[in-house]
Amino acid sequence: MSISIAASALVTSACHEEQEPKEAQARWIVDRFDDIKVLRYEVPGFAELPLDQKMLVYYLNQAALCGRDILFDQNNKYNLSIRRVLEAVYTDYPGDRTTPEWQAFEKYLKKVWFANGIHHHYSTDKFMPEFSREYFASLVEATPSTAFPQDLHPLPELMAAITPVMFDSTLYAKRVNQQEGIDMIAGSASNYYDGVTQAEAEAFYAAMADPADPEPVSYGLNSQLAKDAQGRIVERVWRVGGMYSPAIEKIVYWLGKASGVAEGRQKETIDALISYYRTGDLREYDRYNILWVQDTLSHVDFINGFTETYGDPLGYKASWEGLVNFRDDEATKRTEVISDSAQWFEDHSPVDDKYKKEEVKGVSAKVITAAILGGDCYPATPIGINLPNADWIRKEYGSKSVTIQNITHAYAEAARGNGFMEEFMLRPEDRDRIERFGTICDDLHTDLHECLGHGSGQLAPGVRGDELKNYGSTLEEARADLFALYYLADPKLVELGVIPDPEAYKAEYATYMMNGMMTQLTRIQPGKDVEEAHMRNRKLIAEWCYERGRTDSVVVREVRDGKTYIVVNDFEKLRGLFGELLREIQRIKSEGDFKAGKALVETYGVKVDPELHAEVLERYGRLNLEPYSGFVNPRYRPVMENGQIIDVQIEYVDDYPAQMLEYSKNYSFLPSRN
Ligand code: ZN
């Protein structure tokens, strides 16, 4: 529930005349392959930070890079072996590197790096090599055996294990599979469970949970569930001395350095995190989160740990991620104004009064500049984050929500003049508004979604919050999006001074409808359904409003010269529809109405019109764009004098494979099999 993924990567395209598209692309786009482009981002303000904060950022950055191997292993138990074989070949293969097969090999490795494993980072489907098993075997054969790390030997045995994992399409086909009626653990390729069935895992955690505990820990969050030699189910805890210890020890080392230059509550926060990593005790994790969420004053902030559970089909186990950032004080004025008015927004929402929060508390929101992305935030990254995830901590202590503006800025810059809007947005007045207000509307949408949307509303007495099951996250994202969409058009935002023009919201409405009904389908392969929660949510909202406003022609599909366009005719009525749907989805959540929730998602959020889909793919294909983006990090270099750090310098990197190889060399601490 706590991250926002960039829909804006698809929809933002402001066409500024002063910069030629090709120059813009060369400056921001460092690599392109398959359905992916890799961008760079800038870190404005870093050079101006005082030395102690630069050092803090530097140490936390190191800690954020040290967990990369953990994520690879969590995603699939063969990922580290496969990555290391591919890298050894990539570095030391002496043969011809100009053939189409070699290019296919290189592309595959770039995809493995990007996805932190052999499954697509977004669809979670396994991607297939576009070269043969025989070619792969010949590459390994020709590469000096000393190029392969010690623990990959003997190579013939290893090749016998990994070749089918890579080439057999039926083996480990999907990283996360939540299909109803199957054993979701058996159906998923991730490495969170070993030799345990779904029923066993559910029984294990049901027995552990105490329903009367008002402050339950996040059961199962930081361990692999496996069977021991006697066949008993045990947790292999991710801590110093436990599973993933070699990487966690390095993380703890750098956190210790960071603690040495941090002060006050922030120092206490980092120390609590270290204690949690040492003990694996989830109560220590909660203590850390409570300190972290209350630390709203520190200029530098970070996320480091096992955080989000999207990768576990059962939702217990968290993938490792790292992010270091500092506040953008100027832009944060915007989110402060919004969070200061949180109660006003809650009181005036179209939601039924009995499902509104009487007292909204602990909402803190800021705009941040990312300094480094690590683990599950790298190379693909969220643009907004809201943490912590534990419900009782959110209720008692509130949550912190961020919009990552240097990342959204990089997205917008890279999309300049790429022809996307010209192709898909019919009316010049819409394109004009998007050019003027698209970026600010996208950022405000993220602010409202993260800081108010997810935090709004309350459950009816006796409702636990997990009744919506596999439809829960789609409906939760829809609720937060609708809250944002509804209020983007509110005169209150102009009054608060966060939006420059009462018409600006129309830019967001037009792109949201176009994206939800049409252009986001560029991410879906022909014949497939929409599966990812954020995408389902956007489709649900757009299709429902289209259907509901049909008699009044609020939104229409227009066909010109054989091309389909989505056109909003009546923006005010569309706002009314957003409000109506928000009210209904809040009711569904508050009452735990599974049946109604399922009907909404299945009717509007899943099935794709094959004809429109084919048309969109064809038009998008001609633009030669990639639907997914990720980032290379800058590099930070301490400047030493007499054994002391006297400055930290930032360097921008524009070589994606070089950065990946550098990380695999300098930040790789785990054995190939864990
Ligand atoms: Zn969200």
Side-chain angles (χ1 to χ4, degrees), residues 572-589:
E572 260 176 64
K573 278 201 177 137
L574 180 55
R575 187 191 183 208
L577 293 172
F578 287 147
E580 213 182 296
L581 185 56
L582 172 58
R583 186 182 169 91
E584 171 61 3
I585 289 185
Q586 181 64 57
R587 183 199 68 74
I588 288 171
K589 177 177 178 178

Side-chain angles (χ1 to χ4, degrees), residues 1-5 310 386 449-450 454 476-477 480-481 534:
M1 73 187 283
S2 55
I3 67 165
S4 253
I5 297 166
Y310 301 101
N386 182 318
H449 173 112
E450 294 293 346
H454 281 308
E476 177 57 21
E477 292 309 323
D481 258 4
H534 295 81

Side-chain angles (χ1 to χ4, degrees), residues 166-202:
M166 288 168 60
F167 289 88
D168 180 344
S169 63
T170 62
L171 208 54
Y172 298 110
K174 204 163 174 54
R175 179 162 57 80
V176 190
N177 193 342
Q178 290 181 296
Q179 204 186 310
E180 268 193 336
I182 63 164
D183 181 320
M184 292 191 277
I185 291 178
S188 300
S190 54
N191 190 25
Y192 294 114
Y193 303 88
D194 188 10
V196 180
T197 67
Q198 179 178 344
E200 285 171 330
E202 282 171 347

Side-chain angles (χ1 to χ4, degrees), residues 266-280:
Q266 184 157 48
K267 184 178 166 52
E268 219 185 314
T269 305
I270 296 171
D271 291 343
L273 179 58
I274 291 173
S275 163
Y276 158 64
Y277 272 133
R278 286 193 192 285
T279 59

Side-chain angles (χ1 to χ4, degrees), residues 93 199 501:
Y93 174 65
D501 187 301

Side-chain angles (χ1 to χ4, degrees), residues 398-425:
S399 66
K400 262 203 274 197
S401 132
V402 300
T403 303
I404 314 177
Q405 197 146 300
N406 60 330
I407 295 295
T408 61
H409 179 72
Y411 275 131
E413 290 295 323
R416 274 187 185 192
N418 65 11
F420 180 81
M421 278 301 161
E422 290 70 16
E423 177 62 37
F424 289 105
M425 191 59 82

